[in-house]
Amino acid sequence: NVGAECEFYLFENDDRGRPTRVPIDFGGYFDVAPLDAGENLRIYQNAGQIAAELNDVERTTRWLTEYVKRVREENPAVDLSRAELWLQLGNAALTKRDFTAAARYYRELQAGPFAVQARLREAVALSDGGKTEEALQTLRTARTNLKLDAPVLFSAEASLLMEKGRAPEALEVMNAALEAHPTDPEILYEAAMLAQETGDSALSEKRLQTLLSMNPEHVQANNALGYLWVEQNRNLTEARALLEKAYRADPLNPYILDSMGWLCYREGRLRAAREFVSASLKKLYDAEVAAHLVIILQKSGDQKAAEATFAELLEHDPEHPTVARLRELLGKKP
């Protein structure tokens, strides 16, 4: 269980020849072994990587930067642009909230299987450090250099724009993504969710239907379109078919459980609705799901449970947009 609090042992014979468990002091190893490395630079790298696995930020940074320094001193032309160690160094810097250093480390990783991870994390580091425009440009440039990973980079750019309250730009990005990748299922799904988030449920519905015509088994799309219809209280028969398909594929998914519960509420099956939505909340607390449960409990006549669920919602998210409506439903004063 790497990274958890644990102890490591060697077995050595005691003075009577019996095997004895001896704790390994990795801290001592990290500090002493590299000093004895001599010309074997790999020891610096190994020490840094083990430190990274054990979440030892200081030693990760110390030994991996020492490795890079010595390798480059030995051969200034060495190419480390594919080395995973840049991710480890960047992650260590992020842990310390040194966003500038994190972005600098991630930027070193420019090729190979970890390149797209590095670009995504570089953008996160830049954004968290207050450099939003640089983060966006990093993702845009990466789309040109990493063409096979363009869909995930489009999605990351749109998500960042939404996070910064720039919804019109996010829509433009996803429209460009759809134009470049019209048959990519994840782009279609992300574009549909973005349309829903920005209030265009008709466009969201159209995109989800297009996606399901291409891939009828897409679990998230089945759930999203089914929930959209349930929320609008229409096409409930078709919504049940979609949601049951999603539920069969992923019966423990809290969002699908909530969708099933809300469908049962629309159908007047209050007991089943309560069971599904309660199961969803047990797996993952979500204010919207809690609001559903308040409504279901109140409709079922269990005012006490409804008020208790509402009180818990207020503790988690007092600014949730449903609060005023639920307060009125329960007959409570502001």
Side-chain angles (χ1 to χ4, degrees):
N1 185 13
V2 174
E5 289 189 8
C6 51
E7 293 183 336
F8 298 85
Y9 299 92
L10 289 174
F11 284 89
E12 296 180 355
N13 291 336
D14 63 14
D15 55 4
R16 295 186 180 181
R18 296 173 299 190
T20 302
R21 197 169 65 170
V22 179
I24 301 174
D25 178 8
F26 268 111
Y29 169 77
F30 290 145
D31 292 329
V32 175
L35 297 178
D36 294 335
E39 298 302 314
N40 188 355
L41 302 184
R42 184 70 66 180
I43 290 179
Y44 293 100
Q45 183 182 24
N46 290 344
Q49 288 176 335
I50 294 172
E53 291 291 331
L54 295 174
N55 298 322
D56 187 327
V57 171
E58 296 303 326
R59 289 186 173 103
T60 297
T61 304
R62 183 194 314 168
W63 296 126
L64 289 182
T65 54
E66 185 67 21
Y67 170 74
V68 170
K69 173 188 170 186
R70 291 181 180 241
V71 166
R72 285 176 168 168
E73 285 175 349
E74 187 175 283
N75 179 9
V78 69
D79 181 8
L80 294 175
S81 65
R82 294 172 175 264
E84 187 182 5
L85 64 86
W86 298 118
L87 287 181
Q88 294 162 331
L89 282 166
N91 294 344
L94 270 188
T95 300
K96 295 189 294 184
R97 300 186 63 79
D98 187 346
F99 303 120
T100 300
R104 185 176 69 249
Y105 288 134
Y106 292 137
R107 198 172 298 122
E108 292 276 358
L109 207 167
Q110 288 292 326
F114 303 110
V116 68
Q117 270 192 66
R119 294 295 71 70
L120 294 171
R121 295 186 191 186
E122 180 185 350
V124 168
L126 289 167
S127 176
D128 288 349
K131 298 179 179 179
T132 302
E133 295 308 317
E134 280 190 50
L136 293 168
Q137 189 56 51
T138 293
L139 295 170
R140 291 164 188 157
T141 301
R143 289 207 305 268
T144 301
N145 298 334
L146 303 169
K147 295 186 186 303
L148 293 178
D149 296 300
V152 72
L153 293 162
F154 270 119
S155 179
E157 183 181 350
S159 295
L160 177 55
L161 287 166
M162 287 297 292
E163 180 185 318
K164 300 301 180 182
R166 296 161 61 173
E169 293 173 75
L171 285 170
E172 288 180 12
V173 168
M174 290 313 298
N175 288 338
L178 277 174
E179 186 174 341
H181 306 275
T183 60
D184 186 287
E186 296 315 307
I187 285 289
L188 263 172
Y189 179 73
E190 292 288 341
M193 292 300 94
L194 184 58
Q196 182 70 17
E197 192 173 348
T198 54
D200 194 340
S201 59
L203 180 58
S204 179
E205 180 176 355
K206 179 181 177 181
R207 287 171 172 173
L208 288 169
Q209 288 173 321
T210 299
L211 172 52
L212 288 171
S213 70
M214 293 164 43
N215 179 8
E217 304 306 315
H218 195 287
V219 176
Q220 291 83 5
N222 275 291
N223 180 58
L225 183 55
Y227 181 77
L228 188 156
W229 283 339
V230 169
E231 186 68 7
Q232 296 176 346
N233 202 16
R234 65 185 179 91
N235 297 349
L236 295 186
T237 300
E238 293 87 345
R240 173 160 286 280
L242 295 175
L243 293 177
E244 285 183 345
K245 182 181 287 189
Y247 179 64
R248 285 193 298 271
D250 193 0
L252 300 181
N253 185 304
Y255 298 109
I256 295 173
L257 288 169
D258 175 58
S259 297
M260 287 292 293
W262 202 229
L263 170 64
C264 291
Y265 169 75
R266 293 295 196 200
E267 295 172 334
R269 301 168 59 214
L270 297 181
R271 182 176 178 180
R274 179 174 183 168
E275 290 175 355
F276 274 118
V277 177
S278 295
S280 174
L281 275 178
K282 287 178 181 177
K283 293 200 164 293
L284 177 69
Y285 191 87
D286 182 276
E288 187 71 26
V289 177
H292 288 167
L293 186 56
V294 172
I295 294 168
I296 292 165
L297 291 168
Q298 196 277 336
K299 183 74 171 179
S300 303
D302 195 341
Q303 184 77 7
K304 184 177 180 180
E307 290 180 358
T309 303
F310 179 61
E312 188 177 3
L313 189 159
L314 286 177
E315 289 181 9
H316 281 86
D317 190 356
E319 303 301 321
H320 194 271
T322 62
V323 165
R325 182 165 62 94
L326 293 177
R327 198 186 298 277
E328 183 179 352
L329 178 70
L330 296 173
K332 291 184 169 294
K333 295 181 179 180

